[in-house]
Amino acid sequence: MKGKNRRQKKENSRTSTKKRRMGTGAVFALTFCAVLSIGMAGILVMTLLKGEGTDKQEKPEIVDDKGSSFWEKMPEKEAQAEPVMEMEVQNTRYGHELADAEYMKENHILAWESSQADTVTFGFIGDILFDDEYAIMANLLRRGATIDNGISGELLTRLQGVDVLVANNEFPFTERGTPTEGKTYTFRADESTAAYLHDIGVDVAVLANNHIYDFGETGLFDTLDVLERAGIPGIGAGRNLKEASAPLYFIVNDMKIAVIAATQIERLDNPDTKGATEESAGVFRCWNPEKLYQVVAQAKEQSDFVIVFIHWGTENQAEPDWAQLDQAPELARAGADLIIGDHSHCLQGITYFDDTPVIYSLGNFWFNSKTLDTCMVQVTIGREGLESFQFIPAIQSDCRVSLAYGEEKNRILAYMRELSPEVVIDSEGYVSKNIH
């Protein structure tokens, strides 16, 4: 996993440095032993060894080891004297926030690493499903249970290569609860399958969808606990409205980036998927969008870049519906810098509202046995805003998803151009506004 690999490299580096220091200390001590008394040499050796224990602490990292809470990876207040100074040099704008572990935890802020010094890459994928009573997981288990039997190696490399990968977690992790009465499809997956999120490279699980409550409050609570133990933040649902609507913030390369998740689905006064309230658990509903606009505006005031991941649209319809068309420009006006949509189980088009790109639906990613066009969206964010937006074509077929190449890639890009007359999509899927 990305965080684990970074941590291991740093630990190896620390071990190597310490060994070199110990070797130098031994030579120094032997030299003095030759000219001084044994007692004096002993004092010097003790002094040298004591000095080795005062190495400057390295900047704390967020890791995603299964079985560890991601909030437990935040720096402890008691051990911050020297590390805080180092952070303030590297984060001239956000060093004060990084210095306060309790503040970061309370406000859902994560310190993060990027593969580049001045930018950060985010990846986004649509619906995934780990329920072994349905085709995707049943076929994976039959083929050998390893993730490369469900997602191609080339695509896994792309997914694992971004700094932050966001996926729509279209099911609860639970082995308890009662399925929602009268609902045609109710999904759930065993806790152990959370390991597949790590295998894919998922850093953020979106829970704002119409299946996270399939096994009621029990299933939702179990999901929150499972993700906490797995070290993967879940957004868009919670034990109350404050938790469900809370943005997740990343501080990276002296930038602060907010990710917000919400759902319009189901569009009923009393939906099967309960909306969170001040005192009860559920999802962050935005069928009435005023609360979402307020959260976006507040996040914009507190950060440099705001991403909204929203569950909306009409199933199996390639054209965005009236509610999507109504809310998208309002989200941009409220402060969203990037809008990512899903729910329709098919691709929908891309457009811009001022400088805010919108993809109305990512489509399924790894969800069922149908042959469907799908994608990964990858964006690069710099200190001046969005630097690139790339639509990466893929195909879900026979319970497996793979990158699209050659004629299939060109066909999917051509289809997206038909759905997206207001943008330009080049041969590699890079998207820009159509200025004509």
Side-chain angles (χ1 to χ4, degrees), residues 153-411:
E154 295 88 349
L155 183 50
L156 282 171
T157 298
R158 294 299 299 260
L159 297 170
Q160 296 165 358
V162 296
D163 298 314
V164 182
L165 181 64
V166 183
N168 180 46
N169 200 101
E170 188 89 351
F171 60 92
F173 289 102
T174 187
E175 298 168 31
R176 307 186 303 146
T178 303
T180 301
E181 185 177 355
K183 195 168 186 178
T184 304
Y185 299 104
T186 53
F187 304 139
R188 66 176 171 181
D190 295 345
E191 175 176 350
S192 61
T193 63
Y196 288 119
L197 294 177
H198 289 284
D199 294 341
I200 294 168
V202 173
D203 297 296
V204 182
V206 173
L207 308 181
N209 57 59
N210 56 303
H211 284 287
I212 198 64
Y213 211 83
D214 280 0
F215 282 77
E217 187 177 86
T218 297
L220 174 57
F221 285 172
D222 283 354
T223 301
L224 297 173
D225 291 341
V226 167
L227 291 173
E228 181 82 5
R229 288 192 291 270
I232 297 175
I235 59 172
R239 294 172 178 83
N240 51 53
L241 181 58
K242 181 180 179 180
E243 183 177 320
S245 63
L248 177 67
Y249 295 95
F250 294 87
I251 294 180
V252 53
N253 289 345
D254 212 15
M255 297 180 287
K256 190 175 181 183
I257 299 169
V259 186
I260 300 164
T263 174
Q264 290 183 355
I265 310 300
E266 299 100 359
R267 298 170 174 181
L268 304 168
D269 290 336
N270 295 294
D272 291 331
T273 304
K274 303 299 182 185
T277 70
E278 299 296 336
E279 298 179 349
S280 64
V283 297
F284 182 22
R285 292 195 74 205
C286 63
W287 182 233
N288 180 343
E290 294 306 317
K291 174 66 174 177
L292 175 58
Y293 299 156
Q294 180 183 28
V295 170
V296 170
Q298 290 173 344
K300 186 63 174 178
E301 291 177 357
Q302 300 173 28
S303 58
D304 302 299
F305 196 93
V306 177
I307 300 167
V308 177
F309 196 114
I310 185 167
H311 211 67
W312 60 2
T314 302
E315 290 189 5
N316 305 309
Q317 179 176 301
E319 295 296 325
D321 63 29
W322 66 270
Q324 291 171 281
L325 296 173
D326 278 358
Q327 287 192 12
E330 293 300 323
L331 286 168
R333 277 191 279 272
D337 297 293
L338 173 65
I339 302 170
I340 304 290
D342 80 331
H343 170 68
S344 66
H345 299 302
C346 63
L347 293 172
Q348 293 182 335
I350 303 169
T351 192
Y352 274 80
F353 292 100
D354 293 326
D355 293 325
T356 300
V358 180
I359 179 165
Y360 283 108
S361 179
L362 299 168
N364 286 350
F365 184 73
W366 190 44
F367 187 74
N368 58 25
S369 60
K370 294 180 180 179
T371 297
L372 293 171
D373 297 337
T374 183
C375 72
M376 170 190 179
V377 164
Q378 180 173 322
V379 302
T380 301
I381 302 167
R383 296 182 187 181
E384 300 301 318
L386 190 70
E387 295 192 0
S388 69
F389 180 114
Q390 186 181 16
F391 175 93
I392 301 169
I395 298 175
Q396 176 195 266
S397 181
D398 191 26
C399 297
R400 181 177 171 84
V401 62
S402 305
L403 286 174
Y405 293 102
E407 292 183 2
E408 288 290 83
K409 174 182 175 181
N410 294 334
R411 177 187 59 77

Side-chain angles (χ1 to χ4, degrees), residues 6 112-121 161-164 252-253:
R6 287 196 291 265
W112 209 255
E113 290 186 351
S114 171
S115 55
Q116 300 296 322
D118 298 318
T119 60
V120 58
T121 56
V162 296
D163 298 314
V164 182
V252 53
N253 289 345

